[in-house]
Amino acid sequence: MSGYDQVPEAARPFLGPTPSGKPVPVKVLRKDRLDWKEKVALIEIFKGMGFTLREMFRPRFTIQFPEEPFPRHPSVKGRPVLAKNPDGSIRCVSCGLCEFVCPARAITIDPGETSDPIQREPRDFQIDMLRCILCGMCEEACPEEAILMSDELLMATDARPKALHHLEDLLVPVEKLQERIDYTKRMYRKWNRPQS
Amino acid sequence: MAKIKVNGREVEAPDGANLLLFLNDTLGLNIPHYCFHPALEKVGSCRMCQVEFVMRRKDPDGKESVRRVLGVSCRETVRDGLEVETHGEAARRARKEAMEFLLVNHPLDCPICDKAGECRLQDYAYQTGQLEGRTIEPRRKEEKLVDLGEVILLDRERCILCTRCVRFFKHFEGRAQLGVVERGDRSHIAAFYDQPLTGNYQGNLADICPVGALTLKKFRFKQRSWDLTPVPSICPLCSRGCNIFVDVARHGVVRRIRPRLEPEVNGYFICDQGRLEFDDLNMVEERLRFARVRREGRLVERPMEEALAEAARLVREAGEGLLALASPFLTVEEGEAFLALTEKAGFKGFWSPPPTGLGDRHLRTDDPCPNRRGLEKAGLQAVHKEALAAAIPSASLVFLAGERILRLLPPEVLSLCAVKHVILLERVLGGLEGAVQVALPGASWAEKSGTFVNADGRKQRISPALRPPGEAAPDGRILEEIRRLVLLQGSGKEEEK
Amino acid sequence: MTVLVVAALLKVALFIGLAFGVAAYATLAERKIAGWIQNRYGPNRVGPWGLLQPMADGIKLFFKEELLPTGANPFLFKLAPALVTGSALLAVAVIPLGDALTVAGKKIPLVVADMPVGILYLMAVSSLGVYGILLGGWSSNNKYSLLGGLRSAAQVVSYELTMVLAMATVLLFSGTMSTRGIALAQEGLWNVFRFPVGTVAFFLFWIASFAETNRLPFDLVECEPELVGGYHTEYSSMRFALFFLGEYVAMFVQASMLTTLFLGGHTLFGLERIFGNPVLNVLLGAAIFLAKTFFFLFVFIWVRWTLPRVRWDQLMALGWKVLLPLAMVTILAGGGGVIWGIY
């Protein structure tokens, strides 16, 4: 099957011949000459006025953005953040892959050691949001699902130092990021595992 | 020379050479190996360097029969008539299977492993292309943090039991300190009676370990290996002149020093002092960043030009009363510049510290001067304590030049200097603040280029890995500039201007 | 006498305030209604429901830089916006807001100048506005501005004919040229209901008023796709604001004229006199008048956000070939009707 049946009926003439080879009769809906009613245009004017009048009482499309959150798909790449486990520990092990892969060199990690003898943990983790281009390569490089692109889009500040986000600004409970984690997992499964 | 056949092609190879080394270094075939190390005994335990040996034999009836045998190439020597297939189906499969076995219990530690980026296991795992394990059993749990003395940490989970470390002590020092204990799947590396490791060469374990099992305490979690830029240089801590890499991190910090292969000097190894004593290069706070000149009894920071002119004036006025003492850390070129500057001086030479007694039968020598032969060849005399102590009281001006000279001079000599007028070309002010008239900010050996001549008379080049802070500059440039100013002032051109 | 002077001054202040207030909030209404039609909210950030938006706009426009294009005639360039707003404001003088109040024995009609020739005055003054537009376009030293000004002149001349003829039909019915008189004459029957002549005249006047105020679908004077901004391309800051204001005041004037001439002004079939108190009755009459006016203002805006702009030749064809003959027929029919006593 060519998927012909999945196309809505109205759009089928644009597909050309049917799979069976029979040509589809194309119905032209447009008239090339106007009749007198259309020439006078009065009826059309009143139809139009009626239409706009009706539209005035329809619900609004607008979302009042800063006050009213608008629904964001998990594919939105907002401010990169670091996931914090439910027990309060930081997922990041400061492996430096994001630092290395970052094309804008926005990330600077100061690695440190925790009491857990083998675990690394960032002592500080800086993302310079003036440099960050929200490409999401850090997220893709991260082996620990620690750095993730959140859906936070309001990143403007009035001072340069405020654009330098430190570890404490970046930590976000992992539950809030679960949707994004699931989404990236699904996508990576799609892209990175070509079935041989 | 022997004629051998590699992958069907006739090649000439030196008779008796190691086959794996020949295949990798001469032909560039890049055959993986873990347990093999050119400086150590060959045991062939990791099975990663397997190749296919083709054996041809003529039967008595004249018919030729061919037999193909898999075998490790690291234990084979080159001889006439040898025929190997390195990348045939069988060899590749054998290596891939060996790799899979090695990875069965290797933890997925790479993000927190200091070896990541320069790890052979990582490299070959990517080369073989099997990125997922087929095992469903849980991985072996082992102790992840075993303290092996002051220098090295052991992670038993990451260990692949190549026994390079065991053999290192056995063959380099002649006395084993590590061994494989237990049997079978419980075997692991341990120090005898859990004693801390001893000796001056423990740091090499981190280099020879092909995985991240043995790591340096000093380098632990400091920097990812891919963020380091290796700069080839020469270790200045003794007169051996070991070849090293200075690994510099992104922000101009030395993170690590490791050996650079030079068969005629140090081979594959360096001592622990050379490896670990580099904190001095990252000194920030104490460093002299700008020149200082004594004005109205106080040392104040002045522009470099002014300090150089002042130093030149003092040197010219002192004439014969100048006592010039260079540090043994000066390069050959700087020694020559120093000599040219102090040609009129009544007493000159370079300080020769007494033997340290740290020398051993491997690399470390007793002489702490990296460039004694070079400076002597340039024309400077080695000066010892007695001669110096006798000469200082009669001098009118003391010129101390070169890295670490204040640290190397004995306190009694320094106290003699403290009552004189002193020009100091150093990285720190040391204890002479009261006597210094002009302090010029010098550079360390990692901030300049030049030549060291080691104890065997071998000339070796050092190259700059860092940038000197502030207005500090390589010593040689400062010495030459002072000399130029001395000549200018002497010819009266300065007044004319 | 004093009473009359004070009353006159008060009326002037009231009518100017009313005109400016209506014009300011008409800009807000314009944007709000445009928003609603497009399923948006319109401006809603300044004050509750965006009610302070006109103030914010005014303040913003005050602080904008005033530009004078190279090669422009400075005097005419500065005069033009004042002419537009000024003429629109002068026309406000003859709007009959309501019936007469009796203060201290003196009858004071709720109109600034109850002239016997009010309609003539109105036509004269409101035609002056086109001078402002023409001068503004001409003095800007900009070809688009000039084209806008020329179009304005042509358009106003074409449609003013129709407008005057439609108006003359009304004058035939009422027999007076005083605007207040016309409103009072319709107490029995609104002119729009004098079928068919009054009705046709009403629609002719209405259509022509779109052209008179340069509103869509006849805003060829500004016509962004062709002329950038038309005659006010080069204007900025308060000079631009004056043009803007003038346009909305003119809209208010046209809406009030429609009300006065055809919809009986402040009358509503006797309902405007339901209160026993004459003062309350007058206020009610004013409210009725304003309600009718606002309805027409709303229609101005509603039409703007519904209909596309007509082509220049279509505009001229409509004016000269359809509306003008129709208006002539209307006035003839109206005259005949009056003579033969039909109306």
Side-chain angles (χ1 to χ4, degrees):
Chain A
M1 284 305 287
S2 62
Y4 190 86
D5 295 341
Q6 282 136 38
V7 178
E9 203 158 348
R12 282 186 201 174
F14 299 103
L15 288 178
T18 56
S20 61
K22 255 193 275 172
V24 179
V26 177
K27 206 168 128 196
V28 179
L29 297 170
R30 184 171 50 80
K31 282 187 288 188
D32 29 2
R33 293 192 74 83
L34 304 175
D35 59 21
W36 69 269
K37 277 184 294 188
E38 285 158 343
K39 272 189 184 163
V40 170
L42 275 177
I43 297 167
E44 298 300 315
I45 284 174
F46 287 113
K47 270 159 98 176
M49 302 290 286
F51 179 78
T52 46
L53 192 65
R54 268 202 312 283
E55 287 300 312
M56 266 186 241
F57 302 101
R58 291 264 304 275
R60 312 274 177 256
F61 268 45
T62 318
I63 294 166
Q64 299 290 312
F65 170 53
E67 298 91 17
E68 204 180 309
F70 68 86
R72 267 162 277 184
H73 191 262
S75 66
V76 167
K77 284 183 197 161
R79 182 177 80 108
V81 294
L82 292 176
K84 193 167 69 177
N85 286 325
D87 62 0
S89 61
I90 304 169
R91 277 196 170 193
C92 174
V93 294
S94 63
C95 72
L97 287 177
C98 50
E99 192 180 9
F100 182 70
V101 81
C102 179
R105 290 217 160 193
I107 302 177
T108 312
I109 308 174
D110 184 8
E113 205 168 337
T114 59
S115 49
D116 185 6
I118 203 66
Q119 288 295 327
R120 290 159 65 110
E121 191 182 85
R123 250 194 314 231
D124 194 6
F125 195 107
Q126 296 173 8
I127 301 183
D128 188 346
M129 290 313 295
L130 292 174
R131 310 201 72 173
C132 179
I133 54 171
L134 304 177
C135 64
M137 280 168 96
C138 47
E139 181 190 48
E140 217 169 313
C142 185
E144 303 283 332
E145 279 173 2
I147 190 164
L148 290 150
M149 306 305 279
S150 68
D151 58 0
E152 297 167 36
L153 296 174
L154 294 176
M155 283 165 280
T157 59
D158 53 2
R160 272 165 185 264
K162 288 189 203 161
L164 189 66
H165 292 197
H166 290 271
L167 182 62
E168 56 270 23
D169 313 318
L170 293 168
L171 285 176
V172 167
V174 70
E175 306 91 72
K176 284 196 182 172
L177 301 164
Q178 199 54 49
E179 224 178 303
R180 176 72 186 175
I181 293 174
D182 297 341
Y183 172 79
T184 50
K185 269 188 186 161
R186 208 166 66 232
M187 286 298 119
Y188 295 158
R189 214 173 299 136
K190 201 163 139 190
W191 299 331
N192 296 356
R193 303 282 157 76
Q195 301 299 316
S196 49
Chain B
M1 290 305 244
K3 274 198 173 143
I4 64 171
K5 229 177 177 181
V6 179
N7 296 339
R9 254 179 46 208
E10 288 256 335
V11 198
E12 290 234 319
D15 225 342
N18 183 287
L19 178 60
L20 178 58
L21 267 185
F22 175 74
L23 292 175
N24 276 357
D25 293 358
T26 313
L27 300 184
L29 286 172
N30 202 11
I31 291 167
H33 55 87
Y34 296 130
C35 68
F36 171 79
H37 190 283
L40 303 177
E41 189 198 8
K42 286 88 187 152
V43 292
S45 67
C46 73
R47 315 309 288 178
M48 280 303 289
C49 63
Q50 288 178 91
V51 294
E52 213 176 352
F53 293 95
V54 184
M55 299 178 174
R56 294 177 197 281
R57 198 170 54 179
K58 276 221 166 89
D59 288 346
D61 53 358
K63 225 175 83 185
E64 196 189 61
S65 68
V66 177
R67 208 153 62 91
R68 288 162 175 271
V69 182
L70 281 171
V72 288
S73 57
C74 66
R75 278 168 67 89
E76 198 65 44
T77 47
V78 170
R79 57 188 151 71
D80 231 350
L82 194 66
E83 195 178 336
V84 290
E85 289 273 348
T86 59
H87 284 72
E89 180 70 21
R92 273 218 291 251
R93 199 170 142 224
R95 290 203 292 262
K96 191 173 173 178
E97 280 165 2
M99 185 75 204
E100 198 173 0
F101 273 121
L102 289 174
L103 285 174
V104 159
N105 279 312
H106 192 79
L108 276 171
D109 252 0
C110 304
I112 56 166
C113 177
D114 281 327
K115 198 79 176 184
E118 50 188 16
C119 171
R120 301 246 177 156
L121 208 58
Q122 255 186 347
D123 295 349
Y124 297 147
Y126 273 102
Q127 266 174 32
T128 52
Q130 190 182 347
L131 298 182
E132 269 176 62
R134 289 188 286 165
T135 52
I136 48 167
E137 297 82 6
R139 280 162 194 254
R140 192 178 57 181
K141 288 269 173 266
E142 290 276 0
E143 224 175 326
K144 282 193 79 68
L145 197 64
V146 183
D147 196 334
L148 289 184
E150 289 180 357
V151 185
I152 292 290
L153 285 170
L154 167 63
D155 183 327
R156 288 196 178 127
E157 268 187 15
R158 293 179 191 155
C159 179
I160 57 166
L161 289 168
C162 69
T163 68
R164 270 188 189 182
C165 47
V166 175
R167 283 174 283 146
F168 171 75
F169 280 120
K170 221 190 286 178
H171 292 272
F172 193 74
E173 295 207 314
R175 186 179 71 93
Q177 298 194 40
L178 289 168
V180 183
V181 299
E182 299 268 10
R183 289 286 179 277
D185 70 337
R186 265 172 292 178
S187 41
H188 57 262
I189 300 287
F192 294 152
Y193 303 108
D194 289 333
Q195 291 295 307
L197 300 181
T198 58
N200 200 14
Y201 293 88
Q202 304 166 32
N204 293 309
L205 290 182
D207 290 330
I208 63 167
C209 183
V211 295
L214 295 161
T215 49
L216 280 180
K217 277 184 177 174
K218 179 153 187 166
F219 184 61
R220 181 173 163 83
F221 295 174
K222 282 287 185 307
Q223 197 84 38
R224 309 300 302 195
S225 66
W226 51 78
D227 275 337
L228 294 168
T229 313
V231 179
S233 196
I234 300 297
C235 174
L237 290 189
C238 76
S239 61
R240 175 72 65 193
C242 293
N243 287 232
I244 53 166
F245 279 119
V246 180
D247 281 346
V248 190
R250 241 198 239 182
H251 309 293
V253 184
V254 176
R255 288 292 189 202
R256 183 169 71 170
I257 285 176
R258 59 194 169 92
R260 175 160 59 98
L261 174 62
E262 178 47 69
E264 288 181 33
V265 182
N266 59 318
Y268 291 87
F269 307 119
I270 56 170
C271 69
D272 283 355
Q273 278 96 44
R275 182 187 296 271
L276 302 174
E277 288 175 11
F278 59 80
D279 288 339
D280 168 84
L281 298 178
N282 295 334
M283 174 165 69
V284 177
E285 299 291 320
E286 313 87 346
R287 248 335 251 274
L288 263 178
R289 295 164 60 83
F290 296 95
R292 292 187 197 185
V293 180
R294 188 162 298 275
R295 293 272 181 253
E296 292 156 6
R298 283 178 47 237
L299 266 185
V300 285
E301 275 188 7
R302 303 299 301 168
M304 194 66 159
E305 296 79 33
E306 192 184 324
L308 289 171
E310 180 76 7
R313 188 181 65 79
L314 287 173
V315 167
R316 199 167 59 89
E317 284 171 6
E320 295 248 320
L322 175 66
L323 183 146
L325 189 64
S327 152
F329 274 71
L330 290 190
T331 63
V332 174
E333 295 81 356
E334 286 166 345
E336 283 164 2
F338 185 76
L339 204 63
L341 169 64
T342 59
E343 55 191 348
K344 292 209 184 99
F347 184 96
K348 61 195 161 189
F350 72 92
W351 171 245
S352 164
T356 53
L358 290 170
D360 56 31
R361 62 198 175 82
H362 300 299
L363 297 173
R364 183 85 193 190
T365 64
D366 270 335
D367 182 7
C369 310
N371 196 22
R372 177 188 295 275
R373 296 272 299 257
L375 290 175
E376 279 171 355
K377 212 172 164 193
L380 277 172
Q381 293 297 312
V383 175
H384 297 280
K385 196 168 133 193
E386 292 74 29
L388 192 58
I392 291 176
S394 60
S396 64
L397 178 69
V398 178
F399 188 0
L400 300 176
E403 179 191 359
R404 295 184 207 203
I405 182 139
L406 292 182
R407 220 183 308 164
L408 291 171
L409 282 176
E412 46 268 44
V413 173
L414 280 181
S415 60
L416 282 176
C417 294
V419 296
K420 295 284 173 191
H421 282 182
V422 175
I423 300 174
L424 187 62
L425 170 55
E426 240 281 39
R427 291 183 302 155
V428 292
L429 263 182
L432 280 182
E433 285 91 344
V436 171
Q437 298 300 309
V438 182
L440 299 159
S444 73
W445 59 273
E447 291 161 359
K448 59 192 178 191
S449 57
T451 314
F452 281 162
V453 180
N454 80 350
D456 303 327
R458 187 184 159 87
K459 284 183 196 162
Q460 298 184 114
R461 173 153 281 275
I462 58 169
S463 27
L466 301 171
R467 187 187 294 249
E471 280 196 321
D475 302 346
R477 212 184 300 163
I478 290 177
L479 291 169
E480 274 164 19
E481 188 62 19
I482 298 177
R483 175 152 179 269
R484 195 180 67 84
L485 290 172
V486 167
L487 293 178
L488 263 180
Q489 289 172 4
S491 65
K493 275 180 187 159
E494 191 77 350
E495 282 84 40
E496 277 168 31
K497 273 210 279 187
Chain C
M1 193 59 209
T2 10
V3 176
L4 286 178
V5 171
V6 170
L9 287 175
L10 279 178
K11 279 194 289 189
V12 167
L14 172 74
F15 273 79
I16 289 182
L18 185 70
F20 276 150
V22 168
Y25 276 90
T27 62
L28 177 65
E30 178 102 52
R31 293 165 67 184
K32 275 284 193 191
I33 291 168
W36 296 340
I37 286 176
Q38 292 160 4
N39 294 342
R40 299 185 280 112
Y41 286 96
N44 64 349
R45 295 276 138 177
V46 193
W49 306 289
L51 281 179
L52 297 178
Q53 185 70 38
M55 322 296 165
D57 289 345
I59 291 166
K60 182 197 82 172
L61 283 165
F62 256 115
F63 287 100
K64 285 275 173 183
E65 188 189 355
E66 288 203 358
L67 295 171
L68 185 68
T70 324
N73 183 325
F75 176 69
L76 292 181
F77 188 78
K78 288 169 189 168
L79 178 69
L83 269 181
V84 170
T85 315
S87 69
L89 276 179
L90 281 176
V92 174
V94 291
I95 293 176
L97 194 56
D99 210 344
L101 271 172
T102 313
V103 180
K106 298 251 163 48
K107 266 192 113 177
I108 299 170
L110 230 57
V111 53
V112 175
D114 185 14
M115 289 179 260
V117 289
I119 287 294
L120 271 184
Y121 167 81
L122 179 82
M123 289 318 296
V125 162
S126 63
S127 300
L128 274 179
V130 77
Y131 280 101
I133 291 173
L134 194 53
L135 286 179
W138 184 30
S139 64
S140 291
N141 189 28
N142 176 327
K143 55 189 162 217
Y144 298 117
S145 302
L146 181 61
L147 281 173
L150 291 176
R151 281 185 179 188
S152 168
Q155 180 177 327
V156 168
V157 164
S158 315
Y159 279 77
E160 217 155 59
L161 283 173
T162 309
M163 195 174 224
V164 168
L165 290 176
M167 213 183 259
T169 317
V170 173
L171 298 186
L172 291 178
F173 298 148
S174 56
T176 171
M177 279 169 83
S178 146
T179 46
R180 188 160 163 270
I182 293 170
L184 288 173
Q186 296 175 68
E187 251 176 301
L189 180 67
W190 293 358
N191 284 337
V192 68
F193 296 130
R194 289 183 201 272
F195 196 80
V197 176
T199 317
V200 173
F202 167 68
F203 280 108
L204 288 175
F205 191 93
W206 203 2
I207 292 170
S209 68
F210 279 99
E212 275 290 294
T213 50
N214 302 323
R215 298 279 304 179
L216 263 165
F218 302 140
D219 75 333
L220 286 124
V221 178
E222 296 177 39
C223 191
E224 297 88 350
E226 294 166 17
L227 299 183
V228 190
Y231 60 96
H232 60 57
T233 303
E234 298 288 356
Y235 281 88
S236 59
S237 184
M238 266 328 270
R239 291 195 193 124
F240 168 75
L242 283 180
F243 274 129
F244 207 57
L245 210 57
E247 181 185 331
Y248 282 92
V249 173
M251 256 167 77
F252 174 58
V253 171
Q254 293 293 343
S256 349
M257 279 307 123
L258 275 164
T259 309
T260 311
L261 295 177
F262 297 99
L263 252 61
H266 60 274
T267 66
L268 191 69
F269 314 118
L271 273 179
E272 75 276 9
R273 254 181 264 136
I274 52 166
F275 294 118
N277 189 331
V279 179
L280 281 183
N281 276 336
V282 168
L283 288 181
L284 180 66
I288 289 169
F289 182 87
L290 285 179
K292 292 175 185 169
T293 310
F294 289 163
F295 167 73
F296 284 114
L297 279 174
F298 168 72
V299 175
F300 270 120
I301 295 164
W302 179 20
V303 166
R304 171 168 178 194
W305 296 102
T306 305
L307 297 183
R309 182 181 293 117
V310 297
R311 227 164 44 214
W312 177 241
D313 62 309
Q314 288 171 336
L315 175 84
M316 281 298 157
L318 182 70
W320 290 104
K321 292 187 193 164
V322 181
L323 295 186
L324 189 61
L326 206 57
M328 286 176 170
V329 171
T330 309
I331 196 168
L332 282 177
V338 168
I339 287 169
W340 290 313
I342 298 173
Y343 296 118

